[in-house]
Amino acid sequence: MMNSPQQSRKDETFARMMSWVEAHYDCEVYFLEQPREANGFVEFRNGKNIIYILADKEDISLDTFSDILAHEVGHVIYNQRMMRKGLSYKEIVKRTQDKLDCFYELLMRKVITVEEYERFYSAIEEEWDSNQEKERVIPELRKLVHTEKLLST
């Protein structure tokens, strides 16, 4: 199926945002087509942080894409900071997983509610730091989105 001119411009904006992130945060970024709800994650492989954005490129808006990308950049920054402090990526993941396992156990025992679980999850250092960094990154990504919107009018 051939892309419409509007989809092609959107794809170019995705590529500009991804290239900008790669250049500014020493990581790789990949967009993986998938029909479920848009999401992202970071892994550390071969000495580098790698961001994956999973979404349907025709359904995801530029704003949603930039929000997800900025949040994942926050995780990259967090990982880089923790590694400078001497933690390995494996240790970073284990610390996070230990916290989540604890919250899940409390949820399963009905000690906490789903809402409390979600609040605890948002408050863990990794997520809180990532969201703080997202707020610093998002204006730069929005400039690229704004440029796209000007070009499409």
Side-chain angles (χ1 to χ4, degrees), residues 2-14 31 33 56-60 148:
M2 190 153 186
N3 279 347
S4 69
Q6 182 180 5
Q7 184 63 47
S8 293
R9 282 193 304 273
K10 191 165 108 173
D11 292 347
E12 289 169 13
T13 303
F14 290 156
F31 189 108
E33 285 270 347
D56 182 329
K57 74 175 184 171
E58 293 179 9
D59 287 339
I60 190 170
E148 158 55 25

Side-chain angles (χ1 to χ4, degrees), residues 24-72:
H24 286 82
Y25 296 99
D26 189 31
C27 65
E28 296 175 17
V29 182
Y30 297 97
F31 189 108
L32 305 174
E33 285 270 347
Q34 63 103 5
R36 295 182 301 274
E37 184 178 347
N39 204 348
F41 67 94
V42 174
E43 72 171 348
F44 189 80
R45 191 175 49 190
N46 298 327
K48 194 166 229 171
N49 283 283
I50 303 171
I51 296 173
Y52 297 95
I53 306 294
L54 300 95
D56 182 329
K57 74 175 184 171
E58 293 179 9
D59 287 339
I60 190 170
S61 70
L62 290 168
D63 288 341
T64 300
F65 181 86
S66 61
D67 280 348
I68 293 170
L69 183 57
H71 178 78
E72 298 311 324

Side-chain angles (χ1 to χ4, degrees), residues 127-142:
E127 286 300 311
W128 191 87
D129 278 6
S130 183
N131 284 325
Q132 296 305 304
E133 296 296 344
K134 172 186 170 181
E135 296 306 317
R136 289 190 256 289
V137 173
I138 204 77
E140 296 301 321
L141 293 177
R142 297 283 185 199

Side-chain angles (χ1 to χ4, degrees), residues 7 46 102 110 116:
Q7 184 63 47
N46 298 327
C102 177
K110 300 187 187 314
E116 289 170 317

